[in-house]
Amino acid sequence: MDGITTLRASPFEPKSDPLSGHADTLLHQILTQLNASIAYTITMSSKKSRPPPIASRHGPIHISSPIPRSPDTALLSPSAKEYENQRSGSGSASPRQVGFSDSTPTKSSGGRRGRGGRGGIAGLGFEMGRSRGAPSGGYDDYDLSPTHAYLEDFDSYPSTPDPSHTPIPQSPSMDSPGFSATERDPLGEFGKHQFPSSGYLAPTLHPHGARGRSSPIREGNEKGSRGGYGGQRNKRTCIPTNPTKRRWLFFGVPIGLVVIAAVVVGVIVGTQHKSSSNSSGSSSTSGASKNGTKTGTGNGKGGQTTESFNPFITTGSGKDGSIVTTDLGLNFTYTNAFGGSWAQDPYNPYHVSGRAQSWSPSLLEDWVWGQHIVRGVNLGGWLVTEPFIVPALYEQYQDSTPKAVDEYTLSQAMGADLATKMEEHYKTFITEEDFALIASAGLNYVRIALGYWAVETQEGEPYLPKVAWTYFLKAVTWGRKYGIRILIDFHALPGSQNGWNHSGKAGTVNWMYGVMGIANAERSLETIRSITEFISQDGIRQGVPMLGLVNEVMAKTVGKDVMAAFYYQAYKTVRDITGYGSGKGPILLVHEGFLGVAAWSGFLSGADRLALDQHPYLAFAAQSTATHATQASTVCSWGGGTNDSSTSFGLTFGGEWSNAVNDCGYWLNGVGSTPSYNALGADYCKQSEEYFNWSEDTRQGIMSYTMANMDALQNWFFWTWKIGNSTVMGYQPSPLWHYKLGWESGWIPRDPRAAGGHCGAIGVGGNQFAGKYPASATGSFSSPTPVIAADQLASHSVWPPTSLGPNFTDPAQIALFPTYTQTGTRVVLPTASHPVNATNVGSGWANADDTTGAWVKVAGCDYPDGYDANAASLVPTALCTGSSARRRGLSADLGVRVTPTATPAPRR
């Protein structure tokens, strides 16, 4: 739908006349369906003219295997084959370096932090390296992540990455290996050997297509159609050459349609008139009737609101080549070379599901950890905007007051246009067709960033409140339709958890930090509560099975122990709602704070379905001119740490990663920022960003780097699906963060399964994961409830923490900090609109026994700015209790807060 500037913003609204209105509505639906049927017939009848499919590789698929292994070079990309042919020796990782403290990253001979001898390679990092053998050097067992090391020397807070597209003809040599379109995922099929041979020797390290086709992918030029995703097709026409048939097509068919429509409308009008006369003008008290008017659930607890249900959302299903009508009434051809399908039924919405690929389970089937592999993308920049992902949205407010540098200031700059402009962004940046494309790219998950303003805002906060939630509901519907599961990530928290622009407001950290740190955390827990209640409903939980509790907390600022205390409170909040065990509420992800996954070994050992999230970015480490092909070995060295964490901790995800090996990218580090990579040479970033000038060798090198990430991280989400155009530059300025562009243009594999075993093929191997997670990690434990290790409870259950940054170390002083009271009205999130007779749609609140009030401000107490409260002068001199000290969880005897003992009854 790129290029479409006018889209239907809301369902078809009947006219006020009860007779003509319903007739017009039905006529509109009839013509829409006729149009879809004709388009489908034309498409199916013309499929004979498609070029024959390229033969798939026969025989068993061995993507990855334990070390030692003999690489199956027939399955390697050309770049991987070249590595395999050129490398000498075993290519194993170098021994750990010694002589450094636990907290000090190792240094290369070139003086670069954490590079282990790799920093001295000269030359621009975009021409494929030709070195023989794996690079020497490695990471120390106790290295910090490259991102963390970078941040230690960084004086301000950079932005996190994201991308959008212009296809480049794809070379035949850049296609991924051919797989059967309907075969099972080989990494899942060979259960004991499904994980990559990508070990490394430093377990503590954490650095922050259509198959077989060689023709270029081209966007459709007509509105509502992409012309297919699977490759360029032969030109064809549906216009008959026979003159008689031409006359029937151009005159007979339109006349026939008009006659049919007129007859139907006449019958409808007559029926409606008779019905109206018989009822003496009375109307239905329920707001629903056979004429298509539907009732959508409001907030579940607050009653229902009657509205016209979207007539474009109809019952249907299809596979490769079928015609899909989107919720905006636009048609496109569904193309999926991997045996995928789409399906929807608005009257029974949670009893149907599409399938992303033949090897990915539908939402009606169980996801089996240790068998199924998460291959996903982030939908960055959509519901939480970022300047470098959607530059055009920000560029128009660079001369405004205030200047738009984050969503906070963007919202202020938009002023009276906020609702219109922001919703237009939500509506057009990610659409239903993107979900279909994601499935056709071989992906089965999306990670969606959400800000707290999608749930609630307070007076004085400029964000557009609650509208983002409406579009998240669309994503839930689209995900089910195309078989895509969702990880919902709490990306932007009150006060900001990292001071970066993607936290909502750039500047300083005020979450679990400073005078408003506890109040902002309590407010965050309330948002997590509302989201958990919604996604734990039957039908929703299958499509949204994972929740990220906090995105990218700055551990070096907030403190690991303080982070851990919040994680435990959030864990307790969720499990008190859901109960325990597989399928009862979401898997919970905790971010490792750029300390490395090994730093969290043993954290809350025994907890129910607690997973670890790492974001390994080389882009923000010490800048190097090493090629992508060379850096692929560095990336592969992360695999052993992931394997170790999977074995001991449990589910370990690469929640974000990209193809960037430097910090080039328009506004990547924030509006007006200058990439530090440019200091290494003139126009270096220009060569990184102008993808339309890249050579085939460059794309091959990036392909190797891409597959190294996929292989090493195993269960992953690329950041991000697309980057928008820049009105200043005239193209997508950060191509290495743009999955869709790379997939279309030849530096991301058409079939991501091709990455399995890539690290072993380029000579980097090591520790293996046997495929069996700890029982508690997947919610299967012997006792009715999980038992968390006693020492972990003792260390992390004290709430609030007795010391907070920047320098509040006296518990008595922290006891005076402003906090909230649980006496407010709960936020019950609305469900998607649906037909009045739809079944099992839920109320928005999974646990009816969870009736505790929401965290809200204490009446009569003053609260400093939630984004600017780090000064000691803002600490109250006396405790403000409002109308009741007990409401704040205070002990009247001790004058300090204690953890409440009463909890909502869990849903069993």
Side-chain angles (χ1 to χ4, degrees):
M1 285 177 280
D2 291 343
I4 298 176
T5 56
T6 303
L7 298 175
R8 183 178 295 274
S10 61
F12 181 81
E13 296 291 343
K15 297 179 181 178
S16 58
D17 187 312
L19 300 181
S20 65
H22 295 310
D24 285 355
T25 301
L26 188 55
L27 175 59
H28 178 85
Q29 292 175 303
I30 291 171
L31 294 178
T32 299
Q33 294 302 317
L34 284 172
N35 176 60
S37 299
I38 293 170
Y40 177 77
T41 302
I42 293 172
T43 300
M44 297 305 291
S45 65
S46 62
K47 288 181 72 175
K48 294 180 181 180
S49 63
R50 294 185 184 181
I54 296 177
S56 61
R57 179 182 184 274
H58 299 288
I61 306 297
H62 295 282
I63 293 294
S64 55
S65 57
I67 295 296
R69 76 187 294 269
S70 175
D72 181 358
T73 54
L75 286 173
L76 302 179
S77 68
S79 60
K81 289 180 182 178
E82 185 171 1
Y83 272 119
E84 179 62 23
N85 293 333
Q86 291 182 356
R87 71 185 181 93
S88 60
S90 63
S92 59
S94 60
R96 72 183 289 270
Q97 299 181 17
V98 295
F100 297 95
S101 68
D102 289 4
S103 61
T104 304
T106 59
K107 301 180 185 296
S108 69
S109 58
R112 289 190 174 92
R113 184 188 302 269
R115 291 282 175 169
R118 298 189 177 108
I121 300 174
L124 181 63
F126 281 82
E127 292 302 320
M128 182 176 175
R130 307 294 183 186
S131 60
R132 296 180 179 270
S136 62
Y139 290 96
D140 182 74
D141 278 7
Y142 299 99
D143 274 357
L144 298 174
S145 72
T147 304
H148 188 116
Y150 160 78
L151 293 173
E152 285 187 327
D153 294 332
F154 203 82
D155 294 329
S156 61
Y157 294 107
S159 145
T160 300
D162 304 15
S164 192
H165 84 278
T166 297
I168 290 179
Q170 182 164 323
S171 165
S173 65
M174 292 305 299
D175 279 338
S176 302
F179 294 98
S180 168
T182 58
E183 71 186 61
R184 286 177 56 83
D185 186 340
L187 297 188
E189 185 169 5
F190 302 97
K192 292 184 179 180
H193 307 316
Q194 68 208 28
F195 289 94
S197 50
S198 59
Y200 76 132
L201 299 181
T204 60
L205 174 68
H206 165 74
H208 183 352
R211 57 185 172 77
R213 291 181 180 172
S214 58
S215 59
I217 303 300
R218 300 186 184 277
E219 297 287 350
N221 293 324
E222 298 181 8
K223 293 184 179 181
S225 173
R226 289 192 182 274
Y229 318 129
Q232 185 180 14
R233 295 192 176 128
N234 295 341
K235 292 183 178 179
R236 56 183 183 267
T237 177
C238 58
I239 301 175
T241 55
N242 185 287
T244 301
K245 291 182 179 180
R246 282 176 179 264
R247 286 192 292 273
W248 274 108
L249 176 65
F250 290 116
F251 298 103
V253 171
I255 292 172
L257 290 175
V258 171
V259 171
I260 292 171
V263 171
V264 172
V265 170
V267 172
I268 298 271
V269 170
T271 303
Q272 292 288 348
H273 181 73
K274 180 178 180 180
S275 175
S276 177
S277 300
N278 291 340
S279 61
S280 300
S282 63
S283 60
S284 171
T285 57
S286 66
S289 68
K290 293 181 180 180
N291 62 25
T293 302
K294 311 300 180 182
T295 300
T297 301
N299 60 14
K301 302 289 182 181
Q304 294 182 326
T305 56
T306 301
E307 61 183 47
S308 179
F309 182 69
N310 190 333
F312 301 120
I313 303 177
T314 58
T315 301
S317 63
K319 294 187 176 182
D320 184 35
S322 61
I323 300 298
V324 176
T325 299
T326 73
D327 55 4
L328 295 175
L330 302 172
N331 294 335
F332 70 89
T333 302
Y334 176 76
T335 303
N336 190 308
F338 300 131
S341 61
W342 63 272
Q344 69 177 359
D345 180 358
Y347 300 94
N348 201 3
Y350 302 127
H351 287 74
V352 298
S353 170
R355 182 184 298 275
Q357 303 88 29
S358 62
W359 60 83
S360 296
S362 78
L363 272 60
L364 302 179
E365 300 170 312
D366 289 337
W367 183 279
V368 181
W369 293 106
Q371 176 180 330
H372 298 123
I373 311 298
V374 173
R375 300 182 177 96
V377 286
N378 286 270
L379 302 184
W382 184 32
L383 303 183
V384 175
T385 65
E386 293 189 42
F388 100 97
I389 302 176
V390 286
L393 189 64
Y394 280 80
E395 284 169 337
Q396 57 189 309
Y397 298 105
Q398 292 307 293
D399 295 324
S400 63
T401 303
K403 179 180 179 178
V405 298
D406 48 34
E407 189 153 339
Y408 190 99
T409 52
L410 175 66
S411 300
Q412 290 176 320
M414 285 181 170
D417 295 330
L418 173 62
T420 302
K421 292 270 184 93
M422 193 63 76
E423 186 161 10
E424 182 67 14
H425 161 70
Y426 293 154
K427 184 170 56 180
T428 58
F429 186 64
I430 296 293
T431 67
E432 179 180 330
E433 193 171 356
D434 283 298
F435 276 70
L437 278 169
I438 287 166
S440 71
L443 307 174
N444 51 27
Y445 251 96
V446 293
R447 179 174 178 261
I448 299 180
L450 209 65
Y452 71 85
W453 52 88
V455 177
E456 60 85 23
T457 56
Q458 291 183 355
E459 184 179 358
E461 294 174 338
Y463 307 109
L464 180 63
K466 302 184 179 183
V467 178
W469 182 257
T470 300
Y471 287 84
F472 175 75
L473 292 178
K474 288 180 178 289
V476 172
T477 300
W478 299 335
R480 179 165 286 276
K481 185 173 182 178
Y482 298 102
I484 303 291
R485 287 171 167 83
I486 296 172
L487 161 57
I488 183 171
D489 185 73
F490 198 5
H491 215 73
L493 279 66
S496 178
Q497 73 278 15
N498 53 34
W500 293 336
N501 60 21
H502 53 78
S503 71
K505 190 175 190 299
T508 58
V509 175
N510 283 268
W511 176 88
M512 294 295 288
Y513 189 84
V515 177
M516 281 294 288
I518 301 302
N520 282 330
E522 290 171 337
R523 192 176 168 194
S524 300
L525 291 172
E526 191 60 39
T527 299
I528 288 173
R529 177 192 181 193
S530 292
I531 292 173
T532 299
E533 288 284 7
F534 183 88
I535 67 175
S536 298
Q537 300 175 102
D538 189 41
I540 302 294
R541 62 182 175 84
Q542 291 86 353
V544 192
M546 294 196 286
L547 170 62
L549 296 175
V550 188
N551 177 65
E552 293 189 351
V553 187
M554 285 292 299
K556 73 169 195 169
T557 300
V558 173
K560 180 176 180 288
D561 289 342
V562 173
M563 287 172 57
F566 178 84
Y567 285 157
Y568 176 72
Q569 292 299 313
Y571 168 83
K572 190 169 179 293
T573 296
V574 172
R575 295 298 174 231
D576 282 345
I577 293 169
T578 67
Y580 302 99
S582 178
K584 293 185 177 180
I587 293 168
L588 302 177
L589 276 71
V590 296
H591 184 254
E592 43 77 41
F594 307 117
L595 298 177
V597 292
W600 296 87
S601 178
F603 174 64
L604 295 184
S605 176
D608 177 29
R609 290 168 296 141
L610 197 64
L612 199 54
D613 183 20
Q614 57 177 326
H615 296 179
Y617 288 127
L618 276 185
F620 303 115
Q623 300 296 290
S624 168
T625 57
T627 64
H628 273 87
T630 298
Q631 296 283 35
S633 295
T634 304
V635 169
C636 282
S637 71
W638 304 340
T642 300
N643 285 335
D644 291 344
S645 180
S646 298
T647 301
S648 59
F649 187 96
L651 300 175
T652 303
F653 298 93
E656 294 183 19
W657 61 279
S658 78
N659 280 328
V661 295
N662 55 51
D663 66 347
C664 295
Y666 180 51
W667 288 351
L668 177 63
N669 283 324
V671 171
S673 61
T674 300
S676 56
Y677 187 70
N678 260 342
L680 303 182
D683 294 331
Y684 271 22
C685 277
K686 180 179 179 181
Q687 297 178 59
S688 296
E689 294 168 8
E690 293 184 351
Y691 57 90
F692 36 82
N693 291 326
W694 289 350
S695 67
E696 184 173 337
D697 276 355
T698 294
R699 283 182 277 149
Q700 286 181 340
I702 301 171
M703 175 75 82
S704 179
Y705 184 84
T706 302
M707 298 209 296
N709 276 277
M710 292 175 172
D711 194 22
L713 297 177
Q714 304 162 17
N715 292 287
W716 47 263
F717 297 83
F718 184 92
W719 187 276
T720 185
W721 170 241
K722 65 189 295 188
I723 297 288
N725 278 323
S726 162
T727 56
V728 173
M729 304 182 75
Y731 58 90
Q732 299 86 18
S734 300
L736 294 171
W737 299 87
H738 193 329
Y739 195 99
K740 182 169 178 270
L741 177 62
W743 174 66
E744 291 171 333
S745 304
W747 62 81
I748 288 178
R750 306 310 305 262
D751 184 343
R753 295 176 298 166
H758 183 75
C759 289
I762 65 174
V764 182
N767 303 357
Q768 288 293 296
F769 172 50
K772 185 174 179 60
Y773 294 100
S776 60
T778 56
S780 55
F781 23 75
S782 56
S783 58
T785 58
V787 178
I788 298 178
D791 65 319
Q792 291 294 303
L793 285 177
S795 298
H796 307 308
S797 61
V798 176
W799 184 259
T802 55
S803 96
L804 287 179
N807 48 23
F808 301 109
T809 58
D810 184 353
Q813 186 182 35
I814 292 176
L816 299 176
F817 282 9
T819 56
Y820 289 166
T821 172
Q822 286 184 290
T823 59
T825 302
R826 294 170 294 137
V827 177
V828 181
L829 292 165
T831 61
S833 61
H834 52 265
V836 68
N837 56 340
T839 58
N840 303 315
V841 294
S843 66
W845 198 261
N847 187 349
D849 294 328
D850 178 11
T851 59
T852 306
W855 288 104
V856 294
K857 291 181 178 180
V858 178
C861 293
D862 294 328
Y863 293 82
D865 184 349
Y867 281 106
D868 186 15
N870 290 337
S873 60
L874 295 174
V875 179
T877 56
L879 184 65
C880 180
T881 61
S883 57
S884 172
R886 181 169 298 184
R887 289 184 180 179
R888 297 183 61 195
L890 298 175
S891 166
D893 297 330
L894 302 177
V896 295
R897 282 179 297 280
V898 295
T899 302
T901 56
T903 58
R907 189 184 188 192
R908 302 297 182 186

